[in-house]
mmCIF file of all heavy atoms in Angstrom:
data_model
loop_
_atom_site.group_PDB
_atom_site.id
_atom_site.type_symbol
_atom_site.label_atom_id
_atom_site.label_comp_id
_atom_site.label_asym_id
_atom_site.label_seq_id
_atom_site.Cartn_x
_atom_site.Cartn_y
_atom_site.Cartn_z
ATOM 1 N N THR A 227 0.879 4.345 -2.766
ATOM 2 C CA THR A 227 0.783 5.721 -2.408
ATOM 3 C C THR A 227 1.943 6.576 -2.903
ATOM 4 O O THR A 227 1.801 7.719 -3.418
ATOM 5 C CB THR A 227 0.645 5.905 -0.873
ATOM 6 O OG1 THR A 227 -0.417 5.041 -0.394
ATOM 7 C CG2 THR A 227 0.410 7.330 -0.459
ATOM 8 N N LEU A 236 4.862 14.978 -10.837
ATOM 9 C CA LEU A 236 5.238 15.112 -12.221
ATOM 10 C C LEU A 236 4.138 15.834 -12.996
ATOM 11 O O LEU A 236 4.432 16.649 -13.900
ATOM 12 C CB LEU A 236 5.500 13.721 -12.837
ATOM 13 C CG LEU A 236 6.788 13.034 -12.373
ATOM 14 C CD1 LEU A 236 6.833 11.659 -12.937
ATOM 15 C CD2 LEU A 236 7.962 13.867 -12.754
ATOM 16 N N LEU A 242 3.214 23.725 -15.265
ATOM 17 C CA LEU A 242 3.926 24.983 -15.175
ATOM 18 C C LEU A 242 4.398 25.378 -16.587
ATOM 19 O O LEU A 242 4.775 24.542 -17.428
ATOM 20 C CB LEU A 242 5.227 24.835 -14.363
ATOM 21 C CG LEU A 242 4.988 24.543 -12.866
ATOM 22 C CD1 LEU A 242 6.315 24.321 -12.170
ATOM 23 C CD2 LEU A 242 4.220 25.735 -12.222
ATOM 24 N N SER A 243 4.324 26.587 -16.912
ATOM 25 C CA SER A 243 4.767 27.090 -18.225
ATOM 26 C C SER A 243 5.897 28.102 -18.001
ATOM 27 O O SER A 243 5.837 28.832 -17.017
ATOM 28 C CB SER A 243 3.638 27.685 -19.040
ATOM 29 O OG SER A 243 3.198 28.859 -18.421
ATOM 30 N N GLU A 255 10.841 45.129 -26.844
ATOM 31 C CA GLU A 255 11.906 45.213 -27.810
ATOM 32 C C GLU A 255 13.228 44.640 -27.247
ATOM 33 O O GLU A 255 14.285 44.719 -27.849
ATOM 34 C CB GLU A 255 12.043 46.658 -28.239
ATOM 35 C CG GLU A 255 10.893 47.093 -29.041
ATOM 36 C CD GLU A 255 11.022 48.495 -29.531
ATOM 37 O OE1 GLU A 255 12.147 49.073 -29.456
ATOM 38 O OE2 GLU A 255 10.046 49.048 -30.081
ATOM 39 N N PRO A 265 8.515 35.123 -33.223
ATOM 40 C CA PRO A 265 7.455 35.872 -33.878
ATOM 41 C C PRO A 265 6.312 34.954 -34.324
ATOM 42 O O PRO A 265 5.171 35.403 -34.408
ATOM 43 C CB PRO A 265 8.130 36.580 -35.055
ATOM 44 C CG PRO A 265 9.430 35.838 -35.296
ATOM 45 C CD PRO A 265 9.811 35.246 -34.000
ATOM 46 N N LYS A 270 -0.491 35.069 -36.908
ATOM 47 C CA LYS A 270 -1.439 33.994 -37.271
ATOM 48 C C LYS A 270 -2.063 34.317 -38.620
ATOM 49 O O LYS A 270 -2.564 35.398 -38.808
ATOM 50 C CB LYS A 270 -2.508 33.829 -36.186
ATOM 51 C CG LYS A 270 -3.462 32.658 -36.465
ATOM 52 C CD LYS A 270 -4.666 32.695 -35.545
ATOM 53 C CE LYS A 270 -4.282 32.683 -34.104
ATOM 54 N NZ LYS A 270 -5.466 32.637 -33.218
ATOM 55 N N ALA A 280 -1.660 27.786 -65.049
ATOM 56 C CA ALA A 280 -0.513 27.309 -65.845
ATOM 57 C C ALA A 280 0.556 26.694 -64.975
ATOM 58 O O ALA A 280 1.768 26.906 -65.158
ATOM 59 C CB ALA A 280 0.061 28.415 -66.724
ATOM 60 N N LYS A 289 -4.694 36.833 -44.992
ATOM 61 C CA LYS A 289 -5.078 37.616 -43.908
ATOM 62 C C LYS A 289 -4.198 37.280 -42.705
ATOM 63 O O LYS A 289 -4.180 36.087 -42.283
ATOM 64 C CB LYS A 289 -6.555 37.444 -43.550
ATOM 65 C CG LYS A 289 -6.964 38.372 -42.427
ATOM 66 C CD LYS A 289 -8.480 38.325 -42.169
ATOM 67 C CE LYS A 289 -8.829 39.312 -41.123
ATOM 68 N NZ LYS A 289 -10.252 39.304 -40.855
ATOM 69 N N ASN A 292 -1.630 39.998 -36.103
ATOM 70 C CA ASN A 292 -0.457 40.162 -35.321
ATOM 71 C C ASN A 292 -0.992 40.589 -33.912
ATOM 72 O O ASN A 292 -1.559 41.639 -33.715
ATOM 73 C CB ASN A 292 0.374 41.293 -35.900
ATOM 74 C CG ASN A 292 1.695 41.506 -35.050
ATOM 75 O OD1 ASN A 292 1.966 40.854 -34.090
ATOM 76 N ND2 ASN A 292 2.443 42.541 -35.448
ATOM 77 N N LYS A 299 8.180 42.106 -40.458
ATOM 78 C CA LYS A 299 8.319 42.165 -41.920
ATOM 79 C C LYS A 299 8.924 40.906 -42.453
ATOM 80 O O LYS A 299 9.373 40.053 -41.664
ATOM 81 C CB LYS A 299 9.139 43.351 -42.399
ATOM 82 C CG LYS A 299 10.628 43.282 -42.036
ATOM 83 C CD LYS A 299 11.364 44.478 -42.552
ATOM 84 C CE LYS A 299 12.883 44.308 -42.228
ATOM 85 N NZ LYS A 299 13.670 45.400 -42.678
ATOM 86 N N GLY A 312 -6.850 11.757 -57.825
ATOM 87 C CA GLY A 312 -5.870 10.672 -57.737
ATOM 88 C C GLY A 312 -6.055 9.869 -56.464
ATOM 89 O O GLY A 312 -7.004 9.978 -55.740
ATOM 90 N N GLY A 316 -7.014 14.348 -50.356
ATOM 91 C CA GLY A 316 -7.071 14.883 -48.968
ATOM 92 C C GLY A 316 -5.765 14.741 -48.169
ATOM 93 O O GLY A 316 -5.691 15.198 -47.030
ATOM 94 N N GLN A 323 8.046 26.576 -49.527
ATOM 95 C CA GLN A 323 8.304 27.693 -48.659
ATOM 96 C C GLN A 323 8.509 28.939 -49.467
ATOM 97 O O GLN A 323 8.899 28.913 -50.616
ATOM 98 C CB GLN A 323 9.579 27.473 -47.794
ATOM 99 C CG GLN A 323 9.424 26.340 -46.826
ATOM 100 C CD GLN A 323 10.738 26.211 -45.969
ATOM 101 O OE1 GLN A 323 11.527 27.116 -45.912
ATOM 102 N NE2 GLN A 323 10.822 25.067 -45.249
ATOM 103 N N THR A 329 4.792 44.089 -44.436
ATOM 104 C CA THR A 329 5.068 44.631 -43.093
ATOM 105 C C THR A 329 3.725 44.674 -42.380
ATOM 106 O O THR A 329 2.743 45.232 -42.823
ATOM 107 C CB THR A 329 5.630 46.066 -43.210
ATOM 108 O OG1 THR A 329 6.861 45.958 -43.960
ATOM 109 C CG2 THR A 329 5.924 46.586 -41.827
ATOM 110 N N TYR A 338 -3.306 40.983 -47.025
ATOM 111 C CA TYR A 338 -2.116 41.436 -47.784
ATOM 112 C C TYR A 338 -2.052 40.659 -49.087
ATOM 113 O O TYR A 338 -2.755 39.659 -49.225
ATOM 114 C CB TYR A 338 -0.869 41.195 -46.933
ATOM 115 C CG TYR A 338 -0.870 41.902 -45.616
ATOM 116 C CD1 TYR A 338 -1.348 41.314 -44.473
ATOM 117 C CD2 TYR A 338 -0.415 43.268 -45.568
ATOM 118 C CE1 TYR A 338 -1.364 41.985 -43.283
ATOM 119 C CE2 TYR A 338 -0.426 43.931 -44.298
ATOM 120 C CZ TYR A 338 -0.891 43.275 -43.200
ATOM 121 O OH TYR A 338 -0.942 43.958 -42.041
ATOM 122 N N GLY A 341 -2.497 41.586 -54.876
ATOM 123 C CA GLY A 341 -2.115 41.368 -56.274
ATOM 124 C C GLY A 341 -1.604 40.003 -56.538
ATOM 125 O O GLY A 341 -1.544 39.568 -57.670
ATOM 126 N N GLY A 346 5.996 28.986 -56.029
ATOM 127 C CA GLY A 346 6.504 27.724 -56.560
ATOM 128 C C GLY A 346 5.645 27.143 -57.637
ATOM 129 O O GLY A 346 4.780 27.816 -58.198
ATOM 130 N N ALA A 347 5.798 25.846 -57.818
ATOM 131 C CA ALA A 347 5.027 25.129 -58.897
ATOM 132 C C ALA A 347 3.740 24.561 -58.218
ATOM 133 O O ALA A 347 3.626 24.383 -57.062
ATOM 134 C CB ALA A 347 5.812 23.988 -59.425
ATOM 135 N N GLY A 348 2.714 24.369 -59.061
ATOM 136 C CA GLY A 348 1.450 23.870 -58.589
ATOM 137 C C GLY A 348 0.709 23.153 -59.716
ATOM 138 O O GLY A 348 1.180 23.033 -60.820
ATOM 139 N N GLY A 351 -5.222 20.649 -59.575
ATOM 140 C CA GLY A 351 -5.828 19.778 -58.537
ATOM 141 C C GLY A 351 -5.289 20.000 -57.172
ATOM 142 O O GLY A 351 -5.656 19.295 -56.238
ATOM 143 N N THR A 363 10.903 38.846 -39.490
ATOM 144 C CA THR A 363 11.904 39.804 -38.968
ATOM 145 C C THR A 363 11.237 40.864 -38.202
ATOM 146 O O THR A 363 10.357 41.620 -38.646
ATOM 147 C CB THR A 363 12.603 40.481 -40.179
ATOM 148 O OG1 THR A 363 13.137 39.433 -41.016
ATOM 149 C CG2 THR A 363 13.677 41.418 -39.714
#
Side-chain angles (χ1 to χ4, degrees):
T227 305
L236 290 175
L242 295 176
S243 66
E255 294 182 9
K270 183 189 305 182
K289 184 173 183 179
N292 181 4
K299 67 178 182 178
Q323 292 184 15
T329 300
Y338 301 92
T363 304

